[in-house]
Amino acid sequence: MSNSGTPVRPSPAKKRAALTAGISISALLLTGCVQSQREENTGTEGEGAVDTTFVFAASADPKSLDPAFASDGESFRVSRQIFEGLVGVEPGTADPAPLLAESWETAEDGLSTTFALKEGVTFHDGTDFNAEAVCFNFDRWYNWTGVQQAETVSYYYGSLFRGFADSPEEAVYESCEANGDSEVTINLAKPFAGFVPALSLPAFAMQSPTALEEFSADEIGGSEESPTLSEYALGNPVGTGPFKFDSWEVGQQLELSIYEDYWGDKGQITNTIFRIIDDPQARRQALEAGTIDGYDLVAPADTASLADAGYNIVPRDPFTILYLGMNHAVPELADPLVRQAIAHAIDKQALVDQTLPEGTEVATQFIPDVVDGFNEEVTTYDFDPERAKELLAEAGYPDGFEVQFNYPTNVSRPYMPTPEQVFTNLTAQLGEVGITVTPAPAAWSPDYLNQVQGTPDHGLHLLGWTGDYNDTDNFIGVFFGQEKLEFGFNNPELFAALTEARGMTDREEQTAAYEEINEQIAEFNPAIPLAHPAPSLAFAPRVTSYPASPVNDEVFTDIELSE
């Protein structure tokens, strides 16, 4: 998307120096600057004072400060500090828990849920959080039109709620009723068993109606392939969370400070700085230089040496999937024999051993084994280069063929800490069976996701997913529940099966249905599940506790610091 290189709003009076990724001298020069910031933000004075500025290295800029128009982890990491939803996540799990809603009750037919709202909560601009604000947000999403509906813009709402006000026959959402200030009822047009846990997504966080209107949050320009963000999404986000937005210098850093009227526990941290460092080695150097307190997506080769040096390594339980996408709009990839050949050409265990973190599991399907519907007997395509060559010959490509291979640069993802290494590994494996790739690298933000998800101009490609909550639809429903430019296929039978399963309220019936669907997906082989990586974070010794979450639901008020 069109994040420019200039600040969106003026920085605070004391501008912070930026860390240039990959240049270790820059990291050292910043030490004094960061130290001065921290001296201004200590919780007490004298010996034993706790430094209350927390500096975290992000692997990329957020794509959007409006979480409703975001789908990437770096946007959501920031959003979780600024915003809150009706539903949160039980710490350390993927299960839903009360947040701005203290409780809820769903009707037997699954078509309405009534939420009892927390009272005395305000948005950062002083606007009251109440039932009317909830309805404002739900109706906002439902009434998007044009480019606002594009997959590159409102990815989650489109994937989970399926339709908008101009297509009510497809829509899951129907209406919202404010029952006084502290109770609200959401009515659905169709059953959606994952409705409540889905609300834990930052994309469905509550945002200030006042700010959304004042800063024209829905004025999305550009095209589906290259959308441009609103004034709100570029520098005026307003939520109810523990931290409020201060400034964003694109490509350098983003700053937040504690919201003094926050309704909950504010913890130790008063100021948070997200420093943008896209290179894993540069993030490690910054940690070692003392210019950051921690970072995510530690390169697999660095975990042991950092731990030996006294840094705190915090692993996450794997709740991810890395896959090799195949765009069926490409004639060769539309052939099921070719897709089977590609699957047989890949040695997943070698890929895991050589490029992914310790603890990563080889994937047989698009959900981890802890998610309902995991099929122990699913069809697999074992590593067999000779079988791959036979299938290519049967498909009419005895000498192989050439195909574009898209992969991201300047980013690390939880499911893929080092994309270039994964690309190189897979390229070599495909070459062994005669498939030659044309490399098509692109910077993650803003180019890669827009190209792969918003245009037909791609071939093989690397993407993945960190589960947002423990629901099967959040994985395979999001991937394969409807036509997508990413995959370029139309499979009405699969779409119908997934639509039916997501509406089932009987857990056993739904689990059995998803087991069958996972077999259906395996036989169709629209893309290749590669691995369930187990990402790690690294922290300075002063970070004594970090709330690692399998779904990245990590709020910095829960961090514990020793100095």
Side-chain angles (χ1 to χ4, degrees):
M1 295 189 180
S2 61
N3 292 341
S4 67
T6 56
V8 173
R9 62 162 56 169
S11 296
K14 292 190 176 181
K15 287 193 175 181
R16 279 76 169 177
L19 175 67
T20 303
I23 305 178
S24 58
I25 291 178
S26 297
L28 294 171
L29 290 174
L30 275 166
T31 303
C33 178
V34 172
Q35 185 62 38
S36 68
Q37 289 175 314
R38 289 175 168 168
E39 288 171 354
E40 295 171 359
N41 293 287
T42 53
T44 59
E45 295 184 1
E47 189 174 349
V50 174
D51 173 352
T52 61
T53 293
F54 181 74
V55 185
F56 190 90
S59 69
D61 279 296
K63 287 196 69 179
S64 167
L65 296 180
D66 179 348
F69 289 146
S71 62
D72 64 296
E74 295 299 355
S75 293
F76 284 171
R77 194 195 309 278
V78 174
S79 294
R80 284 184 167 103
Q81 317 311 318
I82 300 173
F83 299 100
E84 296 169 315
L86 297 181
V87 178
V89 175
E90 193 69 35
T93 77
D95 300 324
L99 192 51
L100 290 179
E102 295 187 326
S103 63
W104 52 82
E105 185 174 348
T106 300
E108 288 187 13
D109 62 6
L111 293 178
S112 67
T113 301
T114 298
F115 297 88
L117 305 179
K118 188 175 291 296
E119 298 182 32
V121 176
T122 60
F123 291 98
H124 301 158
D125 60 1
T127 301
D128 289 334
F129 167 73
N130 53 29
E132 286 188 4
V134 174
C135 288
F136 186 98
N137 278 271
F138 272 88
D139 289 340
R140 175 203 178 199
W141 307 327
Y142 183 55
N143 285 284
W144 283 330
T145 59
V147 73
Q148 298 163 354
Q149 298 181 4
E151 185 175 346
T152 51
V153 178
S154 55
Y155 183 83
Y156 274 107
Y157 191 85
S159 295
L160 296 177
F161 288 90
R162 301 296 175 91
F164 300 85
D166 59 3
S167 55
E169 68 283 355
E170 299 175 6
V172 171
Y173 174 75
E174 182 174 85
S175 64
C176 178
E177 302 172 24
N179 312 320
D181 284 343
S182 59
E183 185 179 278
V184 67
T185 299
I186 309 299
N187 300 304
L188 303 182
K190 303 173 183 178
F192 175 21
F195 171 63
V196 168
L199 296 183
S200 67
L201 281 166
F204 306 127
M206 294 293 103
Q207 307 193 50
S208 167
T210 304
L212 290 169
E213 291 184 327
E214 179 181 356
F215 297 106
S216 306
D218 291 335
E219 289 189 4
I220 305 298
S223 63
E224 180 174 341
E225 293 80 10
S226 184
T228 58
L229 296 179
S230 69
E231 181 184 1
Y232 178 88
L234 288 170
N236 296 282
V238 180
T240 66
F243 294 93
K244 59 184 178 64
F245 175 80
D246 287 339
S247 65
W248 181 16
E249 297 178 64
V250 175
Q252 298 181 48
Q253 64 186 32
L254 185 148
E255 299 183 27
L256 311 176
S257 59
I258 199 72
Y259 176 45
E260 292 298 342
D261 292 329
Y262 180 58
W263 60 268
D265 182 1
K266 293 191 282 288
Q268 290 178 286
I269 295 169
T270 59
N271 295 81
T272 293
I273 299 172
F274 291 96
R275 185 151 291 134
I276 314 305
I277 310 177
D278 60 19
D279 180 69
Q281 185 62 27
R283 291 197 292 274
R284 172 177 175 159
Q285 291 171 346
L287 181 67
E288 293 172 329
T291 60
I292 64 172
D293 288 307
Y295 69 100
D296 201 351
L297 313 177
V298 180
D302 289 343
T303 53
S305 57
L306 283 171
D308 290 344
Y311 295 96
N312 293 326
I313 303 299
V314 179
R316 283 199 187 93
D317 291 335
F319 201 64
T320 57
I321 178 68
L322 166 65
Y323 62 83
L324 177 67
M326 297 185 283
N327 180 9
H328 299 210
V330 176
E332 293 88 347
L333 301 180
D335 189 330
L337 294 176
V338 170
R339 297 201 302 275
Q340 290 176 33
I342 292 172
H344 281 299
I346 295 173
D347 185 344
K348 297 180 184 179
Q349 189 62 60
L351 178 73
V352 167
D353 293 342
Q354 295 165 16
T355 71
L356 295 171
E358 185 177 349
T360 295
E361 301 169 358
V362 167
T364 62
Q365 51 211 285
F366 286 87
I367 59 173
D369 59 8
V370 296
V371 176
D372 284 347
F374 186 87
N375 189 334
E376 298 281 357
E377 306 299 325
V378 75
T379 293
T380 59
Y381 302 88
D382 297 332
F383 176 54
D384 189 342
E386 292 307 314
R387 179 59 180 151
K389 293 176 184 177
E390 292 172 1
L391 288 165
L392 288 174
E394 189 177 342
Y397 305 102
D399 299 319
F401 64 93
E402 186 171 344
V403 64
Q404 180 174 302
F405 193 155
N406 300 76
Y407 67 97
T409 62
N410 303 327
V411 74
S412 296
R413 307 304 303 138
Y415 47 79
M416 186 170 52
T418 53
E420 292 90 344
Q421 291 182 18
V422 175
F423 164 77
T424 300
N425 188 285
L426 292 177
T427 294
Q429 294 191 26
L430 294 172
E432 291 294 322
V433 301
I435 298 174
T436 303
V437 309
T438 301
W444 176 263
S445 180
D447 303 325
Y448 186 73
L449 280 183
N450 288 347
Q451 180 178 4
V452 168
Q453 295 181 338
T455 80
D457 181 23
H458 57 281
L460 297 173
H461 57 277
L462 293 175
L463 261 182
W465 193 256
T466 298
D468 302 299
Y469 50 91
N470 198 349
D471 183 77
T472 320
D473 181 70
N474 182 241
F475 286 88
I476 57 177
V478 169
F479 295 147
F480 307 125
Q482 54 193 327
E483 284 191 74
K484 289 180 176 293
L485 288 170
E486 178 186 348
F487 299 111
F489 69 80
N490 182 21
N491 187 330
E493 182 182 355
L494 177 59
F495 299 158
L498 282 163
T499 297
E500 182 180 5
R502 80 196 305 260
M504 293 178 177
T505 56
D506 184 287
R507 189 70 171 263
E508 290 187 7
E509 180 186 10
Q510 187 185 56
T511 298
Y514 278 130
E515 288 176 355
E516 293 179 6
I517 290 170
N518 276 315
E519 174 59 23
Q520 187 178 350
I521 292 170
E523 292 177 7
F524 181 48
N525 192 31
I528 300 171
L530 297 172
H532 303 293
S536 295
L537 305 100
F539 294 100
R542 84 184 194 100
V543 181
T544 57
S545 180
Y546 182 85
S549 163
V551 294
N552 292 359
D553 187 57
E554 296 154 5
V555 182
F556 289 177
T557 50
D558 294 330
I559 293 172
E560 295 180 8
L561 305 173
S562 63
E563 59 183 58

